[in-house]
């Protein structure tokens, strides 16, 4: 199979996954908006931060290193030994859930039982749900190793939707259950997720005519259970040592990935109510990044990595390839800047309305609107960073990537300290300010690399970060008009005034996009004619 066919297949699978994820996320979004109207922000904070952190930490400590080791690029392996190693995640998960459960109950602040009832039961059931999910680990690794993309997307999306439906039903009919509701829903989610994988492979292995059986290392479902191999060794010790290496390597990464939640949980910088509001706003803002910017970043990383050769600067590459990549990078930077600016400018005037529609007064009053406005600016930085880093990582040599990762590790460590200091100073918005600082440093690093890369060539892709004065004026005018509209029309004047505020925003947005269409002709030409470039990933010979 040629490289274009492989890339085409990957693109089709990615498109399928993206469409399903958008559909399922929209359904989940609507269900969550309904659920939030029946909850206190304290319960949301305990569930989304405290208990979810217990669940994710247990899973990480029990399985992350095993996944990376068992999915490493080894073509010849004894899959029985690999499955045996993966089953060790279950007793390990039991140990971590018991230990962390004790920490959560005995060492951390316990919420007021009158405000958040049944906290202890929630800790137990969230820990149990992590152990249940580990029961499906051999099936998950087998599916990942053989690229069963549709199975993963459908299983995870179906589990999340059913969990949201169950939560909505229990919140509506049994609101006094408190944390019982979310604990049972979480246990239901992990059970459905595991059953999806088990059911799929049971049916697949029970159908001898299936063409997929030819590529699988097992012929019946019992082959995935623990057993003694022909060599007499229960596990592959090389894989076991690799697992330990990955565990040490990724332990700090987990702390940094969940850094905000760890700071909230262990340092008590925010109360449970503020934690709940922050987590909801953070998830809302991240939704835009996941649905819009992440697919662009992933797709064009493949393009840049295929067209450019590592270890060579622009003058040593094929000049046709250099010209194409420079043009694409310039247009992507322009597109990211325009999308991010649009979200920042219009998000400022419509954050309070969006939160009121989504979660009612719980979100639209207090710190919610300030958080979302700050996050809108962070989305602008996310958009630019996604494009710059996708090029940087595709063009860097291995040594440069290693040095870059070291710098990022140092920056991420400083992020934890900065988060603590800023939240002490200005509350929950301090987390977003710390993220903005961290992202700004990363963008600067990438821009310096891109400038050096094209320095000796006639191409200047960083020109994509310059907008015409007319368009900048349109953004500034739209921001001013919508801000005035918010003062007079939103959000205490009733729905007629709200609709008028929305109409003002729609008019300003249309005028701004029209100005962009007239002034950014190079970008429009790219969107019309050159968006097919990522499919031309084979080097021309």
């Amino acid at each position: 199979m040629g490289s274009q066919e492989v890339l085409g297949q990957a693109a089709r699978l990615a498109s399928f996954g993206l469409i399903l994820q958008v559909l399922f996320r929209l359904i989940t979004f609507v269900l969550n908006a309904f659920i939030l109207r029946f909850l206190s922000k304290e319960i949301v904070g305990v569930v989304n931060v405290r208990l979810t952190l217990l669940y994710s930490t247990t899973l990480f400590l029990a399985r992350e290193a095993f996944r990376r080791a068992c999915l490493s690029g080894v073509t010849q392996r004894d899959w029985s030994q690999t499955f045996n190693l993966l089953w060790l995640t279950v007793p390990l998960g039991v140990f971590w859930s018991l230990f962390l459960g004790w920490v959560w109950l005995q060492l951390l602040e316990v919420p007021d039982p009158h405000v958040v009832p049944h906290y202890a039961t929630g800790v137990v059931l969230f820990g149990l749900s992590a152990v249940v999910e580990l029961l499906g680990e051999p099936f998950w690794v087998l599916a990942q190793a053989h690229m069963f993309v549709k199975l993963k997307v459908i299983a995870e999306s179906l589990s999340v939707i059913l969990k949201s439906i169950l939560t909505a039903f229990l919140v509506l009919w049994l609101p006094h259950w408190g944390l019982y509701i979310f604990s049972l829903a979480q246990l239901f989610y992990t059970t459905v997720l595991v059953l999806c994988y088990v059911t799929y492979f049971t049916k697949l292995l029970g159908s001898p005519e299936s063409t997929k059986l030819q590529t699988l290392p097992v012929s019946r479902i019992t082959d995935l259970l623990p057993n003694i191999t022909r060599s007499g060794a229960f596990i592959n010790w090389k894989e076991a040592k690799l697992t330990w290496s990955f565990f040490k390597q990724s332990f700090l990464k987990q702390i940094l990935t969940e850094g905000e939640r760890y700071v909230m949980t262990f340092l008590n910088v925010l109360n449970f109510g503020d934690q709940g509001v922050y987590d909801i706003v953070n998830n809302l803002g991240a939704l835009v990044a996941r649905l819009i910017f992440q697919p662009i970043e992933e797709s064009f990383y493949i393009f840049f990595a295929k067209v450019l050769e590592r270890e060579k600067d622009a003058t040593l590459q094929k000049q046709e390839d250099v010209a194409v990549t420079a043009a694409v990078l310039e247009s992507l930077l322009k597109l990211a800047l325009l999308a991010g600016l649009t979200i920042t400018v219009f998000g400022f005037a419509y954050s309070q309305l969006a939160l009121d529609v989504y979660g009612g007064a719980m979100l639209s009053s207090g710190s919610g609107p300030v958080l979302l406005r700050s996050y809108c600016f962070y989305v602008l930085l996310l958009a630019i960073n996604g494009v710059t880093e996708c090029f940087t990582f595709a063009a860097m040599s291995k040594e440069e990537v290693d040095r870059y990762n070291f710098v990022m590790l140092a920056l991420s460590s400083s992020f934890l300290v900065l988060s603590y200091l800023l939240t002490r100073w200005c509350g929950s918005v301090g987390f977003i300010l710390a993220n903005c600082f961290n992202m700004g440093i990363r963008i600067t690093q990438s821009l310096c690399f891109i400038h050096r890369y094209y320095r000796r060539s006639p191409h200047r892709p960083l020109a994509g970060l310059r907008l015409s004065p007319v368009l900048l004026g349109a953004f500034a005018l739209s921001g001013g008009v919508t801000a005035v509209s918010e003062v007079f029309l939103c959000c205490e004047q009733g729905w007629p005034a709200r609709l008028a505020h929305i109409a003002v925003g729609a008019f300003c947005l249309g005028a701004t996009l029209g100005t962009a269409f007239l002034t950014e002709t190079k970008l429009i030409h790219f969107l019309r004619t050159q968006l097919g470039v990522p499919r031309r990933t084979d080097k021309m010979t």
Side-chain angles (χ1 to χ4, degrees), residues 251-260 409 412-413 415-416:
F251 185 76
L252 182 58
K253 179 184 174 183
Q254 167 67 6
I255 296 176
L256 299 175
T257 302
E258 298 277 12
E260 296 166 357
L409 186 62
S412 299
S413 302
F415 163 75
L416 293 178

Side-chain angles (χ1 to χ4, degrees), residues 14-173:
S15 300
F16 173 83
L18 179 61
I19 292 170
L20 274 184
Q21 285 187 48
V22 170
L23 177 61
F24 288 136
R25 282 187 187 280
L26 287 175
I27 296 173
T28 307
F29 182 85
V30 173
L31 289 171
N32 287 340
F34 170 79
I35 293 169
L36 283 174
R37 299 183 177 277
F38 297 88
L39 302 175
S40 68
K41 58 184 179 180
E42 287 76 17
I43 285 185
V44 174
V46 171
V47 173
N48 287 5
V49 178
R50 177 70 67 85
L51 295 181
T52 301
L53 184 64
L54 168 66
Y55 164 78
S56 64
T57 304
T58 301
L59 285 180
F60 171 81
L61 293 173
R63 79 182 181 191
E64 183 65 22
F66 288 85
R67 282 185 169 185
R68 294 182 64 182
C70 294
L71 287 173
S72 59
V74 179
T75 55
Q76 298 295 328
R77 59 155 39 107
D78 186 334
W79 274 96
S80 296
Q81 292 180 333
T82 299
F83 293 141
N84 289 342
L85 184 65
L86 288 168
W87 281 111
L88 294 179
T89 60
V90 178
L92 198 58
V94 172
F95 166 76
W96 283 117
S97 65
L98 291 174
F99 175 74
L100 293 175
W102 175 79
V103 171
W104 257 240
L105 289 172
Q106 300 299 324
L107 301 184
L108 299 181
E109 176 190 2
V110 176
D112 184 350
H114 298 291
V115 179
V116 184
H118 316 303
Y119 172 72
T121 303
V123 170
V124 172
L125 290 182
F126 267 77
L128 178 61
S129 68
V131 175
V132 170
E133 187 166 339
L134 291 171
L135 293 172
E137 203 60 19
F139 303 91
W140 186 91
V141 169
L142 182 62
Q144 286 295 104
H146 294 83
M147 298 184 68
F148 289 179
V149 179
K150 295 181 181 180
L151 170 62
K152 180 177 183 291
V153 172
I154 292 176
E156 292 181 358
S157 301
L158 180 63
S159 302
V160 169
I161 288 179
L162 292 178
K163 171 189 172 182
S164 299
I165 292 174
L166 177 62
T167 303
F169 176 80
L170 293 176
V171 164
L172 186 61
W173 295 102

Side-chain angles (χ1 to χ4, degrees), residues 231-513:
S231 62
F234 185 71
I235 61 173
N236 183 328
W237 286 104
K238 186 177 180 180
E239 277 186 341
K241 291 177 181 177
L242 186 61
T243 300
W244 173 242
S245 297
F246 277 131
F247 178 80
K248 291 185 292 184
Q249 184 185 78
S250 55
F251 185 76
L252 182 58
K253 179 184 174 183
Q254 167 67 6
I255 296 176
L256 299 175
T257 302
E258 298 277 12
E260 296 166 357
R261 286 190 169 94
Y262 285 117
V263 171
M264 291 184 207
T265 299
F266 288 95
L267 300 180
N268 295 324
V269 293
L270 300 176
N271 59 46
F272 290 114
D274 288 340
Q275 289 181 26
V277 173
Y278 174 82
D279 189 77
I280 294 170
V281 171
N282 184 60
N283 288 335
L284 280 175
L287 187 65
V288 176
R290 285 195 297 265
L291 292 183
I292 299 177
F293 302 130
Q294 187 176 346
I296 294 175
E297 179 183 346
E298 292 174 349
S299 299
F300 282 93
Y301 171 79
I302 295 173
F303 165 69
F304 290 130
K306 289 281 186 179
V307 172
L308 297 174
E309 296 182 38
R310 294 184 187 272
E311 317 290 341
K312 295 182 180 180
D313 65 20
T315 58
L316 301 176
Q317 306 268 359
K318 288 184 178 180
Q319 291 309 298
E320 180 186 356
D321 291 343
V322 173
V324 170
T325 55
V328 171
L329 179 57
E330 180 180 350
S331 296
L332 288 178
L333 285 172
K334 185 84 70 178
L335 182 63
L337 181 60
L338 285 175
L341 267 179
T342 302
I343 292 170
T344 301
V345 170
F346 289 91
F348 184 87
Y350 290 88
S351 291
Q352 185 175 0
L353 178 60
L355 290 175
D356 193 64
V357 172
Y358 183 66
M362 180 184 74
L363 295 181
S364 61
S365 60
S367 63
V370 176
L371 281 171
L372 189 54
R373 287 173 185 138
S374 303
Y375 206 99
C376 287
F377 175 71
Y378 178 54
V379 167
L380 169 62
L381 299 180
L382 278 175
I384 297 173
N385 181 71
V387 174
T388 56
E389 281 197 346
C390 92
F391 176 86
T392 299
F393 284 127
M396 276 181 169
S397 66
K398 183 181 181 301
E399 292 74 19
E400 287 173 322
V401 171
D402 290 339
R403 288 198 301 270
Y404 191 88
N405 286 336
F406 181 78
V407 172
M408 290 305 102
L409 186 62
L411 282 174
S412 299
S413 302
S414 66
F415 163 75
L416 293 178
V417 178
L418 192 61
S419 296
Y420 176 75
L421 295 176
L422 288 176
T423 49
R424 286 293 187 187
W425 175 49
C426 53
S428 53
V429 75
F431 283 118
I432 299 177
L433 295 178
N435 274 314
C436 288
F437 174 80
N438 197 26
M439 200 60 60
I441 298 295
R442 289 170 63 177
I443 291 172
T444 302
Q445 292 271 347
S446 297
L447 291 180
C448 289
F449 174 83
I450 294 170
H451 174 72
R452 290 195 306 269
Y453 189 86
Y454 285 101
R455 181 173 49 195
R456 298 178 184 175
S457 77
H459 309 290
R460 296 293 179 266
L462 295 183
L465 294 176
R466 292 198 297 265
L467 296 179
S468 70
V470 175
L471 183 55
L472 287 175
F475 272 116
L477 183 61
S478 294
V481 171
T482 53
V484 172
S485 172
E486 182 185 30
V487 171
F488 289 101
L489 299 176
C490 186
C491 290
E492 307 296 334
Q493 310 299 324
W495 270 105
R498 292 184 180 190
L499 292 175
H501 180 49
I502 293 172
V504 170
F507 175 79
C508 290
L509 178 61
T512 303
L513 293 180

